[in-house]
Amino acid sequence: PAGAAYTRESLLEEILSRQLEDGGFALSGSTMDPDVTGIALQALAPYAHDDTPVGESGTSARQAVKAALAALPQQQDEDGGYSTMGTATCESAAQVVVALCSLGIDPIADPRFIKNGRSPVDALLDYRQADGGFAHLSGGKSDYKASAQALYALVAVQRLQNGQRRLFDLR
């Protein structure tokens, strides 16, 4: 809105300024974190086709998305999932799944994201527990945060498959 402290452009500039040399994003350090990269891609999804240079770097959202998508398969675990800070988690797989769906990429079928015959969705479902919840770590118990993120990732897949708007598109 008029007079807002932050504009769309300033927010995009801030996100793009945080992109690492390897194409990903992280909260700290110089190596991408798939979880944070997934979240950044979700934020960039509405601008993924925009070639307009942003900020001092002159990088466009399209360039940033392309670089992050190229980096994600390099960080994929052998089971098709993702790890954050060296630990495979439900939430990391969930954030990548939502990011891919937000960009119109099928995380179940796109060959860039299939490792050893398994997709990020396959890995995500490995965290499902008998009570219907999802565990944060493999072998763990159902966890609220992991369950919430897993469920909205599965909704993102469903929305993509049904031709609906991406998750978090509130128009």
Side-chain angles (χ1 to χ4, degrees), residues 5-67:
Y6 301 101
T7 65
R8 178 179 294 154
E9 292 75 24
S10 70
L11 292 171
L12 277 171
E13 184 175 355
E14 182 64 25
I15 294 168
L16 296 180
S17 76
R18 304 294 179 141
Q19 191 162 32
L20 303 170
E21 281 190 32
D22 62 11
F25 294 83
L27 292 178
S28 63
S30 59
T31 304
M32 77 171 282
D33 179 273
D35 197 329
V36 177
T37 299
I39 294 167
L41 284 171
Q42 291 168 49
L44 293 172
Y47 314 101
H49 300 291
D50 190 344
D51 282 321
T52 306
V54 177
E56 292 179 22
S57 72
T59 301
S60 71
R62 179 189 292 247
Q63 292 169 316
V65 167
K66 184 177 177 181

Side-chain angles (χ1 to χ4, degrees), residues 97-170:
V97 167
V98 174
L100 296 176
C101 291
S102 295
L103 294 165
I105 298 168
D106 185 343
I108 296 172
D110 191 300
R112 294 175 292 177
F113 302 98
I114 306 298
K115 193 150 190 187
N116 296 318
R118 292 177 49 88
S119 73
V121 174
D122 292 322
L124 177 67
L125 292 171
D126 288 345
Y127 293 94
R128 186 165 183 249
Q129 303 299 298
D131 64 3
F134 287 77
H136 168 62
L137 301 173
S138 181
K141 295 182 180 183
S142 288
D143 173 89
Y144 171 76
K145 180 178 162 187
S147 295
Q149 290 189 34
L151 291 174
Y152 72 66
L154 294 173
V155 168
V157 172
Q158 181 182 40
R159 293 182 67 79
L160 178 70
Q161 291 175 342
N162 290 337
Q164 297 171 299
R165 291 185 181 138
R166 70 187 174 281
L167 195 68
F168 305 126
D169 182 341
L170 304 177

